[in-house]
Amino acid sequence: MTLAKQIMSARTLRKRFFMQSMFDEHAWDILLILYIAAEEGYLVSKHEIADITFSRLSMLENWLNILQSQYIIVESAWPHPHLELTQDGRGRMRELLLESVAA
């Protein structure tokens, strides 16, 4: 299991034991989900991110807009509507994860 998947699994698991609102880091969840999707070769829609994070889409929109304005993620319509990390966003995530392992 990749480090990104381990982090996402731990984040999901802790929600079973504590109130979800204690751990709300929506931007981080979005980045992890999109990084894992890119590494595993599948596409993720806004609605799927909302389902995975147990969040309302209307609440996630703010974070999606912030990440898009910083050119970390991009919305694409082909082959169907989905979100993905930009090349820069994916590189930054990769570097973060590599430095996390080395720390």
Side-chain angles (χ1 to χ4, degrees):
M1 182 183 291
T2 67
L3 179 58
K5 286 182 86 168
Q6 289 173 335
I7 292 168
M8 195 67 209
S9 293
R11 292 179 59 73
T12 302
L13 181 62
R14 69 186 182 182
K15 292 174 185 177
R16 286 184 30 211
F17 297 95
F18 300 98
M19 291 177 9
Q20 178 177 344
S21 60
M22 291 175 59
F23 302 108
D24 284 344
E25 298 177 82
H26 302 294
W28 181 233
D29 287 339
I30 293 165
L31 293 174
L32 281 170
I33 291 164
L34 294 178
Y35 183 80
I36 293 166
E39 290 295 304
E40 295 187 353
Y42 61 89
L43 303 175
V44 183
S45 71
K46 291 179 185 182
H47 296 284
E48 290 169 318
I49 290 174
D51 290 344
I52 293 166
T53 61
F54 305 101
S55 303
R56 290 185 328 273
L57 184 58
S58 60
M59 192 274 312
L60 282 180
E61 288 286 346
N62 183 52
W63 292 108
L64 295 172
N65 290 334
I66 290 169
L67 293 170
Q68 286 176 320
S69 72
Q70 295 182 17
Y71 306 103
I72 298 171
I73 69 170
V74 65
E75 192 167 358
S76 180
W78 189 89
H80 57 78
H82 67 280
L83 297 166
E84 58 188 296
L85 291 170
T86 61
Q87 186 174 10
D88 179 56
R90 190 170 176 183
R92 290 158 81 179
M93 284 296 292
R94 184 179 305 108
E95 288 299 314
L96 171 69
L97 293 168
L98 288 173
E99 287 190 31
S100 296
V101 171

